[in-house]
Amino acid sequence: MLERKTPEWLDEAWENTVRKTVRISGRIGAGFPHASVGGTYVLEAPHWWTAGFWPGLLWLVYEESSNASLRELAEQCEVKLDPVLHDYTRLDHDLGFMWTLTSIASYKLIQSAESRRRALQAANYLAARFNLQGRYIRAWNPWREGEDNAGIAIIDCCMNMPLLYWASKESGDPRYRHIAEAHMETVLEHFIRPDGSVYHIVQFDAITGERTGQLGGQGYAPESAWARGTAWALYGLTLAYHHNGERRYIDAAKRVAHYFLAQLPEDLVPYWDFRIPPEVTKYRDSSAGACAASGLLLLADKVGELESGVYREVGVRILESLYRNYGAWDDSAEEGLIRHGTSHYPEGKNIDVPLIYGDYFFVEGLARLRGGRTIFWE
């Protein structure tokens, strides 16, 4: 095995992360931040798709620091999601994002029986979104009256599949795994282009299961290459390989990784879309960089020794660039950890601001480098 050296900046980065997380937790509390606007994280309703990332970040820091106040806030966030799990009628595929980073995290770290029950319930709801004809997990419910999106699937859902893999292993029921694998086969067939770039949204006929087209979604255009979608695919395919050992997933993950890395600018933090015309502003998306970095570190653990160092080195370099060039460590007026995220450029929402999922994946990447015992997707 190749010797893995600890980056010299890592301890400093972790100390700054813990210090700032403790500080901002005093205001955020058991809330659900999404994007930092004017230096302050705007808190969303518990049903918003990013509700798991703040408690997930708290759990990551708690495992390493044993800070009881952070654990209490994470537990309170999980309880606040109960009305969403029990009474909310618009639950969608983001169940995985929400309950993997809350209930599975809690169960893995403190063995909460109630957290296990919640996670299994969430897995049941997620499995119920499977379209048998098209072999995909339906993304969303109608946003407005008369809208039909029963045939919509999105690349983000790769990251929701670990909830199903966990439920299958935890319950001993292979059906959850079968659904996850069927969805990921559809990702391989319909989302990953030959060059490793990725579609964000693919449309299917919900009755026949046939593919009918694709949409740009949060990317610039249907045939562009949204950076965070590329990161979702890189990490999600690697996680699929981690859970089932199917070689085609790791091969696809490497193809996506190579495309992602080939598009990076000098500081290794991606623009929000890799295929945009010159007249469109090239805002960075630090959240895509953070997600890809954590995925690359996992990928390095899954490939052979001759390949491993390449993926690990670039994952480390992305995290270092985020820390040194994008971190808001000395800015008391900014609650976000990592600046310059882009949430939804086509809709003009939360552009060039810190994003809670960018912060989460940055901290997860640091935890991986520190030899973190528990990564919740795994």
Side-chain angles (χ1 to χ4, degrees):
M1 290 292 291
L2 295 173
E3 181 182 356
R4 291 183 173 179
K5 296 182 179 179
T6 301
E8 53 87 17
W9 54 270
L10 181 58
D11 287 343
E12 177 186 289
W14 185 257
E15 291 170 5
N16 281 330
T17 294
V18 173
R19 186 180 304 113
K20 185 152 191 175
T21 299
V22 171
R23 179 175 67 79
I24 65 176
S25 70
R27 190 201 67 86
I28 296 174
F32 300 101
H34 178 203
S36 175
V37 178
T40 300
Y41 259 120
V42 176
L43 304 184
E44 301 289 349
H47 64 255
W48 192 239
W49 76 275
T50 56
F53 288 102
W54 171 242
L57 191 159
L58 294 174
W59 279 122
L60 286 172
V61 176
Y62 164 75
E63 183 181 27
E64 295 292 313
S65 67
S66 299
N67 185 308
S69 66
L70 300 184
R71 168 180 166 171
E72 290 170 4
L73 291 178
E75 291 177 305
Q76 290 170 25
C77 286
E78 185 184 3
V79 171
K80 284 187 175 182
L81 288 176
D82 279 350
V84 181
L85 192 61
H86 297 304
D87 302 321
Y88 189 60
T89 60
R90 294 179 58 83
L91 282 169
D92 58 27
H93 72 117
D94 290 318
L95 287 142
F97 279 122
M98 297 167 75
W99 277 276
T100 299
L101 301 182
T102 54
S103 294
I104 291 181
S106 172
Y107 181 58
K108 287 187 172 185
L109 294 181
I110 64 171
Q111 293 75 55
S112 166
E114 187 62 15
S115 294
R116 178 182 183 274
R117 183 199 61 76
R118 290 183 179 112
L120 287 172
Q121 184 176 349
N124 282 324
Y125 286 142
L126 182 58
R129 301 188 67 79
F130 182 66
N131 182 302
L132 181 61
Q133 291 296 99
R135 294 171 63 81
Y136 63 87
I137 297 281
R138 176 183 177 175
W140 302 303
N141 305 310
W143 294 110
R144 55 192 64 85
E145 187 175 352
E147 184 178 36
D148 179 12
N149 56 17
I152 294 290
I154 68 175
I155 195 62
D156 316 40
C157 200
C158 287
M159 296 298 297
N160 292 320
M161 295 303 97
L163 174 62
L164 297 180
Y165 282 116
W166 171 86
S168 193
K169 183 177 180 180
E170 188 65 28
S171 67
D173 189 334
R175 292 177 301 163
Y176 301 102
R177 175 184 174 136
H178 293 163
I179 290 171
E181 291 176 347
H183 178 84
M184 292 305 294
E185 288 296 323
T186 298
V187 168
L188 289 179
E189 182 178 357
H190 293 292
F191 282 84
I192 312 300
R193 301 183 184 110
D195 66 354
S197 62
V198 179
Y199 289 110
H200 181 199
I201 300 176
V202 174
Q203 290 179 301
F204 300 88
D205 184 309
I207 303 300
T208 67
E210 295 180 2
R211 177 175 175 166
T212 59
Q214 55 277 332
L215 299 172
Q218 287 171 259
Y220 178 76
E223 296 298 330
S224 69
W226 179 45
R228 193 161 65 252
T230 314
W232 292 143
L234 188 167
Y235 200 171
L237 287 163
T238 307
L239 284 166
Y241 175 78
H242 168 80
H243 285 289
N244 68 19
E246 292 287 346
R247 189 74 209 176
R248 57 188 176 276
Y249 293 130
I250 200 72
D251 289 343
K254 289 193 289 185
R255 191 162 82 248
V256 174
H258 296 167
Y259 178 83
F260 187 94
L261 298 178
Q263 316 307 314
L264 293 181
E266 186 175 353
D267 71 355
L268 300 179
V269 176
Y271 301 113
W272 68 275
D273 194 304
F274 296 128
R275 292 176 181 159
I276 51 178
E279 66 271 16
V280 176
T281 304
K282 287 188 172 183
Y283 291 107
R284 303 298 178 121
D285 184 11
S286 55
S287 73
C291 177
S294 194
L296 286 164
L297 294 178
L298 178 62
L299 182 58
D301 287 340
K302 299 300 176 183
V303 298
E305 188 173 290
L306 291 177
E307 298 177 275
S308 178
V310 174
Y311 297 119
R312 179 177 169 82
E313 179 184 356
V314 74
V316 171
R317 290 174 61 200
I318 292 172
L319 290 171
E320 182 178 8
S321 182
L322 289 170
Y323 173 63
R324 296 191 186 280
N325 303 320
Y326 291 72
W329 313 112
D330 299 323
D331 186 353
S332 60
E334 174 57 69
E335 290 185 339
L337 306 185
I338 302 298
R339 304 179 192 271
H340 306 305
T342 297
S343 175
H344 200 320
Y345 181 89
E347 290 190 356
K349 294 180 178 178
N350 299 316
I351 297 172
D352 198 28
V353 296
L355 299 165
I356 192 60
Y357 39 94
D359 286 355
Y360 170 83
F361 283 111
F362 173 76
V363 177
E364 183 183 279
L366 297 186
R368 283 190 183 278
L369 289 180
R370 288 169 55 82
R373 292 160 290 173
T374 309
I375 302 297
F376 310 130
W377 317 102
E378 299 172 17

